[in-house]
Amino acid sequence: MNKEIPYKIYLDENEMPKQWYNIRADMKNKPAPLLNPGTLKPMTADELEHVFCKELVQQELNDTDAFFDIPDEILRFYKMYRPSPLVRAYCLEERLQTPAKIYYKFEGNNTSGSHKLNSAIAQAYYAKKQGLKGVTTETGAGQWGTALSMACSYFELDCKVYMVKVSYEQKPFRREVMRTYGASVTPSPSNHTAVGQKILDEHPNTGGSLGCAISEAVEVATTNDGYRYVLGSVLNQVLLHQSIIGLETKAAMDKYEIKPDIIIGCAGGGSNLGGLISPFMGEKLKGLADYDFIAVEPASCPSFTRGKFAYDFCDTGMVCPLSKMYTLGSNFIPSANHAGGLRYHGMSSTLSQLYHDGFIKAVAVEQTSVFEAAQKFARVEGILPAPESSHAIKVAIDEALKCKETGEEKTILFGLTGTGYFDLMAYRKFNDKEMSDYIPTDEDLQNSFDKLPKLS
Ligand SMILES: *Cc1c(COP(=O)(O)O)cnc(C)c1O
């Protein structure tokens, strides 16, 4: 076991990390900068501050400082539900009859039911510190909107959530949690915004998409005094906040001298995966240790495995900056799929660069096999996992079964990002054997790639 670590993880008396870790500081090939869609020049801090909170813009643009102190106000909030449990899945190991050791880091033990609260509370804090009235955002499956409404109510900020219309209709209970925390929730596309109205004119029956809800939330933030837009994944600042997951895991594993061989996470916009792997990736980048990192995505929305590494819009309305990332094209609307948190067309630019440089592997898995894994896990480990998280479970089980064949005693770590209590319609479909596995055709993808912005 390699005792040398690149930096010391500073812990408080509760074994909570006191700093976030910025993986970009240790990357030789930095992620490409966000571009202004008008000028195609890198976005400046000034430009970004029209949309985002000031201090978050500084975090977004900083690719040199490795550590950021976590403000006390945020640490205090974290302590209500952190450190989150790092669990050895003894019962799953036994059921699989595998020599592998399986660990998972469980982020579902807060009311929002996912890791998203880790960044929501940070973003709300900086908005409050800047003296803003409130923030706007989009939500797909509803986890991010829930997390943000909790964070905003804690800091007494207004919170306007644009919720993808299909989810708004299919997940009425999520909406009530958000409203209980004081957020206003509007189905998107709506006729409150110019961009929503335009999308409705073109597609009157659309169920909406994340990209479209982002466009609406950005419009509302930039046209209302005292508001900024916040985003729950994809951005560098979100990966920074989510590094708390990996730092806690690394500190705990170091303490017990456990070294994971394989680290697995589901990948929607990349924030939980980026957060979980960051301190381990830091070691790998410095040549101090080696790990296999595996990103798991749905076969219905395969940004890494079938996407293009190109500059693209982060939203459908094409109002956001261009980001260089693995993308299916901002026009790509994935088929209905029950892992709403993984239905985004793009991917974090940091993870995209790391994937491009060969530091991360990716696999795409089909929905039914994901729910089979979820069921297997729920029956032995007790936790009802979110469909998104179950993508990581599926691949952790596959890797453990490979160990059974080869007899290797690998240590497998995966991120269990949340609970599935609001996904029971999906579980019902699975239990009734009505679940389908839609995979886009090459032609579907090509149609969308043809519309990627052409930068000469
Ligand atoms: C949002 C979400 C994800 C995916 O988002 P990332 O930014 O890729 O982490 C995964 N799991 C759960 C439970 C989520 O809510």
Side-chain angles (χ1 to χ4, degrees):
M1 157 135 199
N2 199 328
K3 280 283 185 190
E4 203 181 347
I5 51 170
Y7 301 101
K8 181 161 170 44
I9 300 173
Y10 288 96
L11 301 176
D12 74 0
E13 69 284 4
N14 299 317
E15 303 199 331
M16 278 274 302
K18 296 203 284 190
Q19 296 176 311
W20 291 304
Y21 170 57
N22 177 15
I23 182 70
R24 287 168 293 156
D26 290 321
M27 289 168 66
K28 259 200 216 101
N29 297 335
K30 307 288 182 195
L34 293 169
L35 298 185
N36 179 315
T39 63
L40 300 185
K41 296 249 160 57
M43 292 289 288
T44 62
D46 268 359
E47 288 169 329
L48 286 168
E49 282 169 16
H50 290 298
V51 182
F52 300 106
C53 304
K54 244 182 164 56
E55 226 161 309
L56 292 167
V57 168
Q58 295 309 318
Q59 296 179 355
E60 191 63 30
L61 297 177
N62 188 325
D63 53 18
T64 50
D65 291 325
F67 283 94
F68 286 74
D69 288 340
I70 304 175
D72 283 342
E73 291 85 344
I74 300 175
L75 274 178
R76 207 174 303 141
F77 188 89
Y78 276 167
K79 281 179 194 165
M80 287 192 258
Y81 68 102
R82 310 203 67 85
S84 71
L86 175 65
V87 182
R88 170 102 182 252
Y90 287 110
C91 302
L92 180 63
E93 289 170 16
E94 164 120 12
R95 182 59 60 92
L96 298 174
Q97 291 287 299
T98 173
K101 299 183 182 73
I102 306 174
Y103 292 84
Y104 58 89
K105 179 75 167 163
F106 180 48
E107 292 292 321
N109 60 347
N110 68 78
T111 295
S112 79
S114 84
H115 65 286
K116 294 208 170 65
L117 192 56
N118 301 333
S119 183
I121 194 63
Q123 299 196 44
Y125 166 78
Y126 292 112
K128 184 71 180 181
K129 196 171 162 206
Q130 191 176 331
L132 298 176
K133 282 187 225 154
V135 293
T136 70
T137 199
E138 78 296 330
T139 197
Q143 287 96 315
W144 168 245
T146 309
L148 189 68
S149 52
M150 290 174 70
C152 284
S153 71
Y154 182 76
F155 285 120
E156 298 181 310
L157 283 164
D158 184 36
C159 179
K160 297 186 196 304
V161 179
Y162 285 80
M163 185 167 186
V164 177
K165 194 188 275 167
V166 279
S167 307
Y168 183 89
E169 284 159 3
Q170 286 174 0
K171 294 192 169 181
F173 297 141
R174 274 268 177 220
R175 198 198 318 158
E176 288 323 309
V177 182
M178 288 184 254
R179 291 177 61 210
T180 303
Y181 281 98
S184 71
V185 188
T186 308
S188 165
S190 75
N191 54 15
H192 297 191
T193 63
V195 63
Q197 190 61 59
K198 180 163 174 279
I199 293 168
L200 279 177
D201 288 346
E202 287 165 16
H203 310 277
N205 298 319
T206 178
S209 70
L210 262 186
C212 158
I214 295 175
S215 302
E216 289 204 88
V218 171
E219 182 180 319
V220 174
T222 50
T223 54
N224 282 282
D225 257 0
Y227 282 81
R228 291 293 185 279
Y229 167 70
V230 295
L231 182 59
S233 182
V234 185
L235 295 176
N236 293 325
Q237 54 188 275
V238 184
L239 263 71
L240 176 72
H241 307 147
Q242 295 297 358
S243 70
I244 189 85
I245 304 172
L247 292 163
E248 280 179 12
T249 307
K250 181 104 186 29
M253 289 194 138
D254 283 350
K255 179 169 170 179
Y256 293 100
E257 304 203 351
I258 301 159
K259 181 187 174 292
D261 299 296
I262 308 176
I263 305 179
I264 301 165
C266 61
S271 73
N272 86 81
L273 177 68
L276 175 66
I277 69 177
S278 57
F280 300 97
M281 181 62 81
E283 286 189 326
K284 180 159 171 153
L285 292 174
K286 288 168 167 274
L288 297 172
D290 198 16
Y291 305 96
D292 278 336
F293 300 105
I294 308 178
V296 191
E297 56 187 17
S300 58
C301 193
S303 326
F304 270 141
T305 50
R306 294 175 69 198
K308 289 239 184 306
F309 190 39
Y311 267 106
D312 192 13
F313 287 96
C314 298
D315 63 323
T316 315
M318 304 185 182
V319 294
C320 289
L322 294 165
S323 173
K324 188 169 180 195
M325 57 186 174
Y326 277 84
T327 178
L328 298 168
S330 62
N331 278 286
F332 180 78
I333 298 195
S335 67
N337 151 324
H338 295 293
L342 305 181
R343 287 185 72 210
Y344 185 63
H345 66 273
M347 184 57 65
S348 139
S349 63
T350 299
L351 291 190
S352 292
Q353 188 64 50
L354 289 167
Y355 178 69
H356 194 67
D357 292 339
F359 291 107
I360 302 176
K361 293 178 205 154
V363 290
V365 292
E366 289 176 32
Q367 184 159 247
T368 311
S369 68
V370 165
F371 276 82
E372 280 161 7
Q375 186 190 57
K376 198 172 277 174
F377 181 84
R379 288 183 181 182
V380 290
E381 289 293 321
I383 295 171
L384 183 76
E388 292 88 351
S389 323
S390 305
H391 286 68
I393 298 176
K394 156 79 180 135
V395 172
I397 291 178
D398 288 350
E399 290 295 330
L401 291 175
K402 279 187 209 161
C403 290
K404 184 174 173 177
E405 269 173 33
T406 60
E408 283 173 289
E409 293 178 26
K410 288 189 178 171
T411 299
I412 299 169
L413 164 67
F414 72 90
L416 186 67
T417 50
T419 46
Y421 303 125
F422 288 100
D423 300 283
L424 293 172
M425 297 289 273
Y427 275 98
R428 187 180 77 185
K429 278 213 168 140
F430 173 73
N431 291 327
D432 288 343
K433 307 212 165 18
E434 285 170 9
M435 189 160 267
S436 57
D437 291 311
Y438 181 78
I439 302 175
T441 63
D442 288 341
E443 200 187 345
D444 292 338
L445 295 182
Q446 194 55 50
N447 283 338
S448 176
F449 293 148
D450 289 344
K451 296 186 193 120
L452 280 172
K454 310 236 171 345
L455 313 191
S456 48

